Each structure stands twice: as C-alpha cells, then as structure tokens.
Amino acid sequence: MAGEQPEISPATPPGKNRGCLFWVVVLAVVVGGGGYLAYHYAKHRIVTAYTDTIPLDLGELALSPAELGDLDGRLAAFAHAVRNKTPVEPLVLTSEELTALVLRSPGFRRLGGRARFSIGDGEIRGDLSVPLERMGYPDRWFNGSVAVALKLENGVLVVTLRSASVKGEPVPAWIIQKLRDRNLAKDLYDKPEAAGFIARFESIEVGHGRITVVPRLRPWAYRTPLR
C-alpha cells in the first residue's frame, strides 16, 4: 500500500507579505499541465486504462519545521522587497523547497493531491498523484509525471511542456504537441498584480538542482550573472 503523505501545515495565505511567487514558479505548471491531462483523459472515458485505484507513494517531505519556517521567511522577504522595489538578493529554491511550496499552497491543497518535484538542467519534473473524485470518479487517482521548461523571454514568463507520462506510459504525441505549443503561464498575465511582479525579475535560472529567481534590483554583490 502506498505510504501516507505527511501532514503539512498550511502555507501562509497569499497577501502583502507573500506575493504570488509559488503561483509564478509552480502552480501554472501543475494546474496547467497535470490538471489538463487529468481532465482530458477523464472526459474521454478511458479512466480505467489511465488511472489507478491508489495514489503514488512519493515519500515524505524532508524539510523540518525549522526549515519550512526559514523557507517562508525567505519567500516573504523576497516578495516584500520585489513588490516595494527594494534591492534584494536572488531567491534560490531547491527541489525539496519547491515541493513544499506546492504541497502547502491553497490551490493544490484543494485538489487533495500529492506531488514531488526535481530540478534538472533547464527543466522541472513533477510526479503528481491527484484524486478524481471531484470529476465524478471516486477511488480513482491520476498518477503521472510532467517535465516542463521554465524561463523568462524578454521579461515574459514562459512555461512549456517537454514530456509527460501516465501510469508510466508516455502520453500520446498529439496531446504533447497540443500542450507544447502553449505557454502554460499565460493566464498569469490576466492578473495585473502577477504580471507586474514578474516584470521585476531579470531572469529565472533552472539547473544544478535549484531554481534561482534573480530580481532586477539587487545588492551590488549580486550584480554579476549567477552560475
């Protein structure tokens, strides 16, 4: 039987001290990619073939309460500085920290799902396990993986699908192609606050097991490109 997902305290609600950072970096990927695939398969009545009766065992979150507190503090300080146009050092997130932000975000908690993220060179991979009860399929789980590329192009956040699998099997190429042509983060630009927040980033670097969000305004010690 799959291991129980550890109980995780809710993240601080989005607000003036928090900003939209994990929405910018993560949730567009999860909801736009994994959510679309789950809906597509359910809609076409192949739930039995492409879902499971049990969730994935994605292990336990490795961060301690103290580390989670430090993560929340760094995120709040970064968002506050960016919003108020104050120089701040780049924000660095590890795979475990990225996973924690998703699991504790209100949007993902409402799904009741499980997730585990890893960061490779130029891409983020997410292993997802989402219950389909809200779609009318009790006791069925969408278990899959997605890999996406994330970058800033001329100041615009671009998130594109690279690959996906369901129950360990590759998703049909025509579905991948349909999503590959989309910017999964484009809906963020319908929200002026989110668009303005992103515009204050100079770059987002993905690689070496971490995401580095580089603000336009930062201390002199961080003015040279990070590698």
Side-chain angles (χ1 to χ4, degrees), residues 31-144:
V31 176
Y36 176 90
L37 291 172
Y39 172 76
H40 181 86
Y41 282 122
K43 184 175 71 172
H44 285 81
R45 300 178 181 277
I46 50 177
V47 172
T48 300
Y50 288 96
T51 66
D52 287 303
T53 57
I54 59 174
L56 291 176
D57 180 3
L58 298 178
E60 296 185 359
L61 191 65
L63 299 183
S64 67
E67 289 170 324
L68 290 172
D70 175 73
L71 172 61
D72 287 341
R74 287 191 289 116
L75 185 62
F78 181 84
H80 178 79
V82 170
R83 185 178 296 106
N84 289 280
K85 300 181 180 180
T86 302
V88 64
E89 65 186 64
L91 177 69
V92 179
L93 298 173
T94 65
S95 298
E96 285 292 337
E97 289 171 337
L98 189 59
T99 299
L101 289 177
V102 174
L103 291 177
R104 301 188 306 146
S105 67
F108 198 79
R109 287 175 66 87
R110 281 194 294 271
L111 290 177
R114 305 175 179 199
R116 172 72 64 179
F117 288 87
S118 59
I119 302 170
D121 289 336
E123 73 175 26
I124 301 170
R125 177 187 172 89
D127 296 316
L128 311 171
S129 190
V130 180
L132 299 182
E133 183 173 1
R134 291 189 179 187
M135 297 181 184
Y137 300 98
D139 303 320
R140 304 298 303 187
W141 290 75
F142 170 82
N143 295 331

